[in-house]
Amino acid sequence: MALLADGLSRLFIDGKLTAGGAGAYATINPATEEVLGEAANADTADMDRAIGAARRAFDETDWSTNTELRVRGIRQLRDAMGEHLEELRELTIADVGAPRMLTAGAQLEGPIADLSFAADTAESYEWTQDLGLAKPLGIPTKRSVVREAVGVVGAVTPWNFPHQINLAKLGPALAAGNTVVLKPAPDTPWVAAVLGELIAEKTDIPAGVVNIVTSTDHSLGAMLSKDPRVDMVSFTGSTATGRSVMADAAATIKRVFLELGGKSAFLVLDDADLAAACSVAGFSVCLHAGQGCAITTRLVVPRARYDEAVAIAAGTMGSIKPGDPSKPGTVCGPVISARQRDRVQSYLDLAIEEGGRFACGGGRPADQPKGFFIEPTVIAGLGNDARVAREEIFGPVLTVIPHDGDDDAVRIANDSPYGLSGTVFGTDPERAAGVAARLRAGTVNVNGGVWYSADVPFGGYKQSGNGREMGIAGFEEYLETKAIATAAN
């Protein structure tokens, strides 16, 4: 089966591919600004049907209790995506603007492989724990703790790493026995819509268990937060929208998982290899045009070597030219849309207004008249109180900030409303580990260590969200706990 263009322009509700009630909308290639085709544009009636289908599938089928079926269905989806890997690769590059090199990792192949972790976890999980016989209040009682599915999960996902985030929600939620309504970002509808076609054609997942609703209407995501038929909302996106999700969900006291923004710090200690550290920092912020919530966008360096650090970072970033994401060597592709490009540019303009300067970059590349490109940019001359050092920009922009020793570096890193990630570089392993332990962040990379893995929980402190995605902790986000006590007389 070849992936059908028709399937990309359909909703997936109650096991059927269907047209959107609000018609269709154009999906744009961010590297060329050309129209790729159409995506289904759902309306409120479509979302209502999707929620109803998910509710029925949870309440009226054995999906939540049939572990073997769930494991088989998830592995079938993994295998189906693998069978169409090259088609999905080209689709991802076009729809997301993701550099080809990243599709071998977190933009495609990694998330497909991670479905194995979800299936394996469900297969081996201790769903019932026997607490043995006891005599609470003098009554002989057999006790057990049972873990079971939450129910209907509304999953709302962003456009930056859509395969990774879509599957990091779908995999564990389904493995735990839930049914799902997925509302992907309108900017990247196809990489979500294709899952409906694959589920329908290639898996034994029953109708209504997965529903995929693409739409330009952001209020449809709010329906998931407000509807009493939905038991949980799993949201990845901006902190501002996360607040709205939490507020909307409060009316029904539904469970909320939030993975939100970040303004993570890359700390360079005074014993570090400055050239290596600053080069790594500059390179990482260019990946996928800086469109990653956990990317370290504040480079915090020893004050005595500030100018040298700025020059090294600028040398690295200035050598990375934004370009065609379909080419194998491209590191920095476009940002997702004209709106996002303009938003990044507004922050670059603000940096100058705040008294900063550009060590490289600062605007649109002159050699890219088409596409939503921004030059990799190093901002110097500002402290941690500047808005460009405190607010999430989501572009290839690095702000370099001086520190006066380890304590000051930790203070700067933690002086943020966010706490998603962080990096520490230093020659002395114990010293670097000690600094890492003091960071108020959910993930920390020390001297180039990699925390991204299916078995490692990901999430943040403070306004970077609550709960964890991936790992056993991420799987258990989708479970309820029930205690059963049986009289043993």
Side-chain angles (χ1 to χ4, degrees), residues 24 78 96 120 137 147 155 197 208 227 273 278 325 346 370 384 386 392 405 415 434 468 476:
R78 175 202 62 195
V96 184
D120 294 348
L137 304 178
R147 305 302 301 273
E197 183 179 357
D227 196 304
D273 181 333
C278 294
S346 73
K370 289 284 189 180
N384 199 53
E392 189 172 44
D415 180 18
R468 290 296 181 268
E476 291 182 337

Coordinates of all heavy atoms in Angstrom, one line a residue, residues 24 78 96 120 137 147 155 197 208 227 273 278 325 346 370 384 386 392 405 415 434 468 476:
A24 N -11.5 22.1 3.9 CA -10.1 21.7 3.9 C -9.3 23.0 3.9 O -9.8 24.1 3.7 CB -9.7 20.9 2.7
R78 N 3.9 0.3 14.6 CA 5.4 0.5 14.5 C 5.8 -0.1 13.2 O 6.6 0.5 12.4 CB 6.1 -0.2 15.7 CG 7.6 -0.2 15.6 CD 8.1 -1.3 16.5 NE 7.7 -2.6 16.0 CZ 7.8 -3.7 16.8 NH1 8.3 -3.7 18.0 NH2 7.4 -4.9 16.3
V96 N 7.0 19.4 7.8 CA 7.6 20.0 9.0 C 8.8 21.0 8.7 O 9.1 21.8 9.5 CB 8.1 18.9 10.0 CG1 8.6 19.4 11.3 CG2 7.0 17.9 10.2
D120 N 6.3 -3.1 24.9 CA 7.1 -4.0 25.8 C 6.7 -3.7 27.3 O 6.6 -4.7 28.1 CB 8.6 -3.9 25.7 CG 9.1 -4.3 24.3 OD1 8.3 -5.0 23.6 OD2 10.2 -4.0 24.0
L137 N -7.8 -2.7 61.5 CA -9.0 -2.6 62.5 C -9.4 -4.0 63.0 O -10.5 -4.2 63.4 CB -10.2 -1.9 61.8 CG -9.9 -0.5 61.2 CD1 -11.2 0.0 60.5 CD2 -9.5 0.4 62.3
R147 N -3.6 -1.3 38.8 CA -3.4 -0.2 37.9 C -4.2 -0.4 36.6 O -4.2 -1.5 36.0 CB -1.9 0.0 37.5 CG -0.9 0.1 38.7 CD -1.3 1.2 39.6 NE -1.2 2.5 39.0 CZ -0.1 3.3 38.9 NH1 1.0 2.8 39.3 NH2 -0.2 4.5 38.3
A155 N -5.2 14.4 23.4 CA -3.8 14.7 23.2 C -3.7 15.8 22.2 O -4.2 15.8 21.1 CB -3.1 13.4 22.6
E197 N -4.6 6.5 8.5 CA -4.6 5.6 7.3 C -3.9 4.3 7.7 O -4.4 3.2 7.4 CB -4.0 6.3 6.1 CG -4.0 5.4 4.9 CD -3.3 6.1 3.7 OE1 -2.9 7.2 3.8 OE2 -3.3 5.4 2.6
G208 N -12.6 3.7 16.9 CA -12.8 4.6 18.0 C -11.7 4.7 19.0 O -11.7 5.6 19.8
D227 N -14.7 19.0 28.0 CA -15.7 18.0 27.8 C -15.6 17.0 28.9 O -14.6 16.4 29.2 CB -15.5 17.3 26.5 CG -16.8 16.5 26.1 OD1 -17.2 15.6 26.9 OD2 -17.3 16.8 25.0
D273 N 36.8 23.2 28.5 CA 37.4 23.5 27.2 C 36.4 24.4 26.5 O 35.4 24.1 26.0 CB 37.5 22.2 26.4 CG 38.1 22.4 25.0 OD1 38.0 23.5 24.5 OD2 38.7 21.4 24.5
C278 N 31.6 26.0 23.7 CA 30.8 27.1 23.0 C 30.5 26.6 21.6 O 29.5 27.0 21.0 CB 31.6 28.4 23.0 SG 31.8 29.1 24.6
P325 N 16.0 21.8 3.6 CA 16.0 20.7 4.6 C 16.1 19.3 3.9 O 16.4 18.3 4.5 CB 14.7 20.8 5.4 CG 13.8 21.6 4.5 CD 14.7 22.5 3.7
S346 N 11.0 39.7 15.7 CA 10.6 40.7 16.6 C 11.5 40.6 17.9 O 11.8 41.6 18.5 CB 9.1 40.5 17.0 OG 8.9 39.4 17.8
K370 N 13.0 32.8 -0.7 CA 11.8 32.1 -0.4 C 12.0 31.2 0.8 O 13.1 30.8 1.1 CB 11.4 31.2 -1.6 CG 10.9 31.9 -2.8 CD 9.4 32.4 -2.6 CE 8.8 33.0 -3.8 NZ 7.4 33.5 -3.6
N384 N 20.9 38.5 32.2 CA 19.8 37.5 32.3 C 18.5 38.2 32.6 O 17.4 37.5 32.5 CB 20.1 36.5 33.5 CG 19.3 35.3 33.4 OD1 19.3 34.6 32.3 ND2 18.6 34.9 34.5
A386 N 17.3 40.5 30.6 CA 16.8 40.9 29.3 C 15.6 40.0 28.8 O 15.7 38.8 29.2 CB 17.9 40.9 28.2
E392 N 10.9 32.5 25.7 CA 11.2 31.4 24.7 C 11.0 32.0 23.3 O 9.9 32.5 23.0 CB 10.3 30.3 24.9 CG 10.6 29.1 24.0 CD 9.8 27.8 24.4 OE1 8.6 28.0 24.6 OE2 10.4 26.7 24.5
G405 N 31.5 32.7 38.5 CA 31.8 31.5 39.3 C 30.6 30.5 39.3 O 29.5 30.8 38.8
D415 N 17.4 31.3 37.6 CA 16.7 32.5 37.6 C 15.9 32.6 36.3 O 16.2 33.3 35.4 CB 17.6 33.7 37.7 CG 16.9 35.0 37.7 OD1 15.6 35.0 37.9 OD2 17.5 36.1 37.4
G434 N 28.3 18.2 40.5 CA 27.7 18.9 41.6 C 26.9 20.1 41.2 O 25.9 20.5 41.7
R468 N 5.5 13.7 33.6 CA 6.6 13.3 32.7 C 6.1 12.5 31.5 O 5.1 11.8 31.6 CB 7.6 12.4 33.5 CG 8.4 13.2 34.6 CD 9.3 14.2 34.0 NE 10.1 15.0 35.0 CZ 9.7 16.1 35.5 NH1 8.5 16.6 35.2 NH2 10.5 16.7 36.3
E476 N 3.0 5.6 33.3 CA 2.1 5.6 34.5 C 1.3 6.9 34.6 O 0.4 6.9 35.3 CB 2.9 5.4 35.7 CG 3.5 3.9 35.8 CD 4.2 3.6 37.1 OE1 4.8 4.5 37.7 OE2 4.3 2.4 37.4

